[in-house]
Amino acid sequence: MTSGPPFPTVEPSLLEQRVWDVAVVGAGPAGAMVAHDLAREGCSVVLLDRREFPRWKVCGACLSPGAQSALQSAGLGDLPSDLGASPLEVLRLRGWSIQADIPLKGSLAVSRSALDHALVRAARARGAVFSPLSRTRFEGVTGEMAQLNVDLPGGVARLRARLVVAADGLGSPTLAQSGNGAVSSPAAPSDKLGLGAVFEGEDPGFAEGAIHMALGEDGYAGLVRTECGRLNVAAAVNRSALGRGNSPGEVVAHLLREASFPPLQGRPVEGWKGTPSLSHHPERLGGERVFAVGDAAGYVEPFTGEGMSWALSGARTLAPIAHRALRGWTDQHLLEWEESYRRTVGKAQRVCRLIAWTLGRPRLSKATLRLLDRFPLFADPFVAKAASPPPSILERTT
């Protein structure tokens, strides 16, 4: 299934003609889901993104069972099958001449261009207004309203909203402009950057139904064939690997070669594209009349689709808190969100934090891979824990 045609742009006057209940900045899974839930509750919601949709993003293109549970709880359980998402049966780890095949249960492969486009459509169907090609700047809070400047193709709009949701990704500009910007650990050679690309055409070395993951001294790269038959490549590599003058494609090619995977064929149809440092963590999860969600609320490296679960589940957890905050903002609403995030998404991220710590230590990674080669079932509890939805998300109903 194709993503669909681009969404139309909006005129500045549409954004200025009212005070919106909620302005959501960033239309990835977290932003689109919180817009969907709040619009369903009758809130006036504008969803803004600086890109035209459909658009591709650096991402592993996997939906874990936890992500699917979050979609189901929002009444969007049919969305993956409608998009033609294909099942993933195995996580194939290779490195240091060792291979371990870890069974996966219930994960799906789907491109971000198709998934994000569909989630925006779902939010619009509930009444949210979507404004693509919108570059926003948070200007501050006056009285009971937050103010944003929005640069549109048709001019500049001054948008007023009672609440702002910062869902604009790693190192969120919106959160930074509100005075609660992201911080990261001190730069070090092991700091990881995200890289991604998409390749056309079939390659028997990267068959569908599997996450192919190459492990090496400089990081790791995951390759997944999505519903449209393209090969999605997403890697987390040490900053120092690029600092040696290598291009992103060369760094990933080296990882694949080290792990005895076949080389990528041809030139990418999307990418190579990078991300900011993967070590961003915000000081607070918001500010006055501002909530941060998704990667804007902090980033932990996912492996088999957990990132989508955290984004969607975090949005579903935030929506009722934001809805209550519309009745009269107090700082207690932000404290409630931070505590809820810690109990749900933060708790769910612990397994992936452990995996990321292990992968940052090649000797330990090598020993772990040897263990999994001999005893693949040893990974079952970790895979199941990482793939499960964050605590309490299943308590929510449609």
Side-chain angles (χ1 to χ4, degrees):
M1 178 176 175
T2 58
S3 299
F7 295 107
T9 57
V10 304
E11 292 298 319
S13 58
L14 176 65
L15 301 186
E16 293 183 332
Q17 68 185 12
R18 66 190 301 176
V19 175
W20 299 85
D21 287 330
V22 185
V24 182
V25 183
M33 179 60 82
V34 78
H36 169 275
D37 281 8
L38 287 170
R40 184 173 59 183
E41 293 299 318
C43 304
S44 60
V45 180
V46 58
L47 176 62
L48 307 119
D49 199 280
R50 64 188 181 89
R51 298 285 299 278
E52 183 179 56
F53 276 53
R55 59 95 171 91
W56 170 78
K57 285 197 71 174
V58 177
C59 182
C62 302
L63 274 181
S64 71
Q68 296 167 61
S69 295
L71 290 171
Q72 184 72 42
S73 72
L76 300 173
D78 292 336
L79 190 146
S81 60
D82 291 344
L83 296 176
S86 54
L88 291 167
E89 299 172 352
V90 64
L91 169 61
R92 177 156 295 154
L93 301 169
R94 278 192 197 172
W96 303 283
S97 301
I98 309 167
Q99 176 173 308
D101 286 351
I102 310 302
L104 296 176
K105 299 175 183 178
S107 292
L108 300 171
V110 63
S111 63
R112 279 292 299 273
S113 58
L115 176 66
D116 291 11
H117 196 269
L119 287 170
V120 170
R121 280 203 313 268
R124 293 177 82 227
R126 291 293 186 178
V129 171
F130 177 52
S131 181
L133 297 173
S134 301
R135 294 185 174 272
T136 66
R137 179 171 181 81
F138 184 87
E139 294 294 332
V141 175
T142 303
E144 297 183 352
M145 291 181 295
Q147 312 225 11
L148 298 95
N149 275 353
V150 185
D151 193 352
L152 299 156
V156 177
R158 190 163 182 81
L159 185 151
R160 297 167 297 161
R162 297 169 65 199
L163 290 178
V164 174
V165 174
D168 44 349
L170 278 165
S172 165
T174 302
L175 193 59
Q177 291 154 10
S178 75
N180 295 276
V183 297
S184 62
S185 58
S190 60
D191 278 356
K192 286 189 171 60
L193 303 174
L195 302 174
V198 175
F199 287 78
E200 195 78 80
E202 296 183 2
D203 186 330
F206 300 110
E208 65 179 19
I211 302 173
H212 308 270
M213 187 167 289
L215 309 179
E217 300 288 333
D218 286 326
Y220 54 92
L223 302 94
V224 174
R225 198 164 293 281
T226 62
E227 81 290 343
C228 55
R230 290 179 167 180
L231 186 66
N232 187 85
V233 184
V237 303
N238 294 338
R239 185 189 301 270
S240 59
L242 290 167
R244 294 193 288 267
N246 297 315
S247 70
E250 289 170 336
V251 172
V252 173
H254 179 68
L255 281 172
L256 295 177
R257 188 164 55 248
E258 274 190 314
S260 301
F261 277 111
L264 296 168
Q265 301 296 316
R267 298 176 63 86
V269 294
E270 297 281 3
W272 291 93
K273 185 177 179 182
T275 71
S277 171
L278 301 181
S279 58
H280 280 283
H281 299 283
E283 298 171 347
R284 298 291 305 276
L285 297 189
E288 186 181 1
R289 296 189 176 271
V290 178
F291 295 108
V293 72
D295 288 349
Y299 187 83
V300 174
E301 296 166 38
F303 300 96
T304 57
E306 301 88 2
M308 293 298 98
S309 176
W310 303 333
L312 295 168
S313 301
R316 298 230 68 221
T317 303
L318 172 60
I321 298 172
H323 193 221
R324 289 194 292 274
L326 288 171
R327 301 171 193 159
W329 170 268
T330 71
D331 291 341
Q332 188 60 38
H333 293 112
L334 177 56
L335 293 173
E336 181 186 1
W337 166 232
E338 291 178 325
E339 174 60 19
S340 296
Y341 184 90
R342 184 191 64 78
R343 286 188 292 100
T344 56
V345 177
K347 187 174 181 179
Q349 290 175 337
R350 291 175 185 172
V351 172
C352 285
R353 287 183 189 276
L354 175 61
I355 297 172
W357 182 86
T358 301
L359 291 178
R361 290 155 178 79
R363 288 186 181 180
L364 183 56
S365 297
K366 187 175 180 179
T368 303
L369 195 54
R370 279 205 184 98
L371 175 66
L372 295 176
D373 178 30
R374 296 185 62 187
F375 307 105
L377 294 181
F378 178 80
D380 274 7
F382 298 93
V383 172
K385 185 69 174 176
S388 62
S392 82
I393 186 62
L394 292 181
E395 297 174 7
R396 298 201 58 189
T397 64
T398 60

